[in-house]
Amino acid sequence: MANTILVGAQWGDEGKGKIIDVLTEDADIVVRTQGGNNAGHTVFLGPKKYVLHLIPSGILRKKKVCVIGNGVVIDPVSLVGEIDGLLKLNIEVTPKNLLISETAHLVLPYHRELDAQREVLKGKNKIGTTKRGIGPAYGDKVSRVGLRLIDLINPERFAEKLKIRIKENNEILKAFGAKPLSFKQVHDAYRAAGDRLKPFITNTVVYLHHATERKAGILYEGAQGTFLDIDHGTYPYVTSSNTTSGGACTGSGVPPNKMDRVVGVLKAYTTRVGEGPLPTENAEISDLLHGMGREFGSTTGRARRCGWFDAVATRHATMVNGIDELAVTNIDGLDTVENIKVCIAYRVGTKQYDHIPNDVEVLAKCVPVYAEFAGWKTPTDKITKFKDFPAKTKAYLKAIADLTGAKLTIASVGPAREQTIFL
Ligand code: GDP
Ligand code: IMO
Ligand code: MG
């Protein structure tokens, strides 16, 4: 397989987990490069549902190596829980098929607590985070006061550094009126997790360098989506990492000239979970999808906000990620819709936008300009070949790919592996 970066081209939950699982068949190695356990990637194997948070979705395939790269922030207690959960389901997870970067940063309990307290303080301006401590953990990394896995597995150094961090963070928590943390409790729980994880922890940059040299096929698994990117998203309603394709390089230590292609995953419509503008948000499609029991968050269980396909956004995503190929998922979600709308531009007063405006207050005022497509009004979930799609489905898929500006190569009509059509 060509070295592939897979990104979410919308606001997250595009169906990346499913597409990663499918593409892993042809890969040797799957690497997570950013984010933390805010992610929730769903994969179905037969009737069995797996939701991966930190471990790459490639873990469900035998004889593949999964890597958690340096750009990821790791809650080690939660990661041990995820490993144990997979072991219970008879999925193999050993230091042979899971490698964890020693320079990945730790998410600590004060990060989670601060995440929650800041959201309360923000009141109606809250971000709607997953409360997994992601923002404060990346904040500490950038402020150069973070602790890394390499510290966690060095007992003396970990105790020394943690003591200082708990002291400072307890002062901050006190100011919020929150309960201070016990050094001993945090220390003991994290050290126990560190002992469990130690055999998995290694220099993944060197490992990936050697793998690249020997021409292994590597799939870089993105988490979240383009418009949750800390630089290119709808700031401040974003997550705290680079979710766009550049994040795959910095988060793995593999340089851009070793990457061959970028695959953008997108839904045939749009969803977002959490606060922030969503220009095409629409009650009709929200009610329809929620009524079908779909579009509830895989990490927090929150109902996702739903809207029509936003080609302004996906075109922008092609621009900032360099998307070559598109994987469109959840086509079957539109099977019953009479008239399908696609946003082709935004308007604010007399001004028209064909890209996402940077000012989030302007974006919030954007009114979509829609093109309409006749719905196909027939189930697509059993279709296995592109030629068997109704003409109206083909026309819709061709239109959204053309508007997005990349080549459609995968069409997904259901959560299962078999419900995937390659073009
Ligand atoms: P991710 O975070 O991008 O991996 O996406 P999530 O797993 O959070 O959410 C995507 C949801 O869509 C999951 O419940 C998947 O099982 C489901 N899914 C993915 N592709 C399809 C599809 O083509 N059709 C249907 N019906 N469900 C899909
Ligand atoms: P996957 O990988 C969808 C959203 C949160 C919130 C914002 C910031 O499953 O696509 P954070 O906890 O990261 O500080 O929250 O980002 N968010 C996601 N939305 N899918 C995700 O991951 C997300 N991870 C974070 O809802 O709006
Ligand atoms: Mg998800």
Side-chain angles (χ1 to χ4, degrees):
M1 170 201 244
N3 290 323
T4 301
I5 301 176
L6 182 141
V7 293
Q10 295 161 322
W11 276 268
D13 302 325
E14 295 90 347
K16 298 178 295 294
K18 173 192 159 156
I19 301 299
I20 291 153
D21 170 66
V22 167
L23 293 180
T24 299
E25 190 172 9
D26 294 327
D28 302 303
I29 301 169
V30 185
V31 192
R32 246 307 277 280
T33 56
Q34 42 73 226
N37 63 347
N38 48 348
H41 298 173
T42 315
V43 182
F44 277 90
L45 302 188
K48 261 198 190 158
K49 177 178 169 175
Y50 301 85
V51 182
L52 286 315
H53 298 285
L54 273 165
I55 300 176
S57 310
I59 200 79
L60 304 177
R61 299 233 183 215
K62 288 201 168 85
K63 299 203 174 95
K64 310 289 174 179
V65 176
C66 287
V67 176
I68 302 180
N70 56 277
V72 178
V73 288
I74 299 176
D75 176 336
V77 177
S78 163
L79 178 54
V80 167
E82 195 172 332
I83 293 173
D84 287 342
L86 288 172
L87 291 174
K88 251 190 231 146
L89 297 167
N90 293 320
I91 302 293
E92 191 186 351
V93 188
T94 72
K96 280 206 162 58
N97 72 341
L98 178 67
L99 277 57
I100 306 170
S101 168
E102 57 194 6
T103 57
H105 277 248
L106 293 174
V107 178
L108 283 136
Y110 46 81
H111 294 135
R112 279 197 302 275
E113 193 57 46
L114 285 173
D115 192 355
Q117 293 294 338
R118 282 181 189 155
E119 284 283 272
V120 172
L121 191 68
K122 284 198 179 100
K124 69 173 180 35
N125 296 321
K126 71 173 191 217
I127 296 166
T129 74
T130 59
K131 299 202 177 79
R132 299 294 191 272
I134 305 300
Y138 277 113
D140 274 4
K141 171 179 176 172
V142 176
S143 303
R144 296 158 297 176
V145 292
L147 271 71
R148 309 192 289 181
L149 287 170
I150 204 165
D151 301 315
L152 179 67
I153 55 174
N154 178 329
E156 276 121 61
R157 196 203 295 167
F158 179 68
E160 196 182 309
K161 287 192 171 187
L162 181 69
K163 211 166 262 164
I164 299 167
R165 297 305 300 141
I166 294 247
K167 189 161 179 266
E168 178 185 317
N169 281 287
N170 275 349
E171 290 301 319
I172 302 169
L173 289 176
K174 234 193 280 167
F176 272 112
K179 244 176 64 190
L181 294 160
S182 142
F183 165 79
K184 187 172 172 357
Q185 261 177 20
V186 176
H187 173 268
D188 293 359
Y190 273 61
R191 278 291 309 126
D195 285 341
R196 271 295 300 285
L197 296 177
K198 193 171 176 186
F200 298 87
I201 298 171
T202 185
N203 186 331
T204 54
V205 174
V206 170
Y207 172 81
L208 290 171
H209 173 76
H210 290 313
T212 305
E213 294 272 286
R214 64 166 201 272
K215 305 271 184 261
I218 308 181
L219 175 60
Y220 296 85
E221 162 171 350
Q224 290 84 45
T226 299
F227 301 104
L228 294 173
D229 183 283
I230 186 74
D231 286 283
H232 301 290
T234 54
Y235 192 89
Y237 301 100
V238 293
T239 190
S240 297
S241 64
N242 283 118
T243 61
T244 44
S245 55
C249 293
T250 53
S252 66
V254 180
N257 60 354
K258 302 290 183 206
M259 304 296 180
D260 301 311
R261 66 165 179 171
V262 180
V263 174
V265 184
L266 28 93
K267 277 180 176 145
Y269 47 90
T270 308
T271 66
R272 169 168 208 164
V273 60
E275 306 304 315
L278 186 65
T280 62
E281 188 166 14
N282 173 276
E284 181 194 339
I285 182 147
S286 270
D287 292 348
L288 171 80
L289 294 163
H290 293 150
M292 291 157 85
R294 296 162 73 135
E295 302 308 343
F296 293 92
S298 9
T299 296
T300 56
R302 291 176 289 176
R304 294 175 183 150
R305 299 154 61 195
C306 306
W308 300 112
F309 188 87
D310 184 342
V312 178
T314 57
R315 195 157 55 228
H316 196 111
T318 297
M319 175 172 79
V320 295
N321 290 296
I323 295 174
D324 301 297
E325 296 177 28
L326 299 173
V328 177
T329 71
N330 287 275
I331 296 164
D332 55 305
L334 297 177
D335 283 352
T336 58
V337 181
E338 185 91 44
N339 285 307
I340 306 174
K341 290 184 183 173
V342 172
C343 171
I344 51 169
Y346 299 153
R347 221 171 254 157
V348 183
T350 53
K351 196 170 159 64
Q352 186 153 316
Y353 290 89
D354 61 0
H355 62 271
I356 299 242
N358 281 325
D359 187 333
V360 82
E361 287 177 24
V362 174
L363 183 60
K365 289 193 193 115
C366 281
V367 178
V369 177
Y370 285 117
E372 289 210 12
F373 292 81
W376 44 91
K377 307 265 284 174
T378 179
T380 55
D381 61 322
K382 304 258 177 340
I383 290 176
T384 56
K385 292 191 187 74
F386 190 77
K387 69 173 177 50
D388 296 336
F389 270 129
K392 286 173 181 158
T393 318
K394 284 187 215 163
Y396 179 72
L397 294 176
K398 184 179 179 321
I400 62 175
D402 287 350
L403 287 163
T404 301
K407 195 171 140 199
L408 177 68
T409 56
I410 297 177
S412 169
V413 291
R417 278 177 183 169
E418 309 74 57
Q419 291 170 301
T420 313
I421 298 159
F422 293 91
L423 277 77

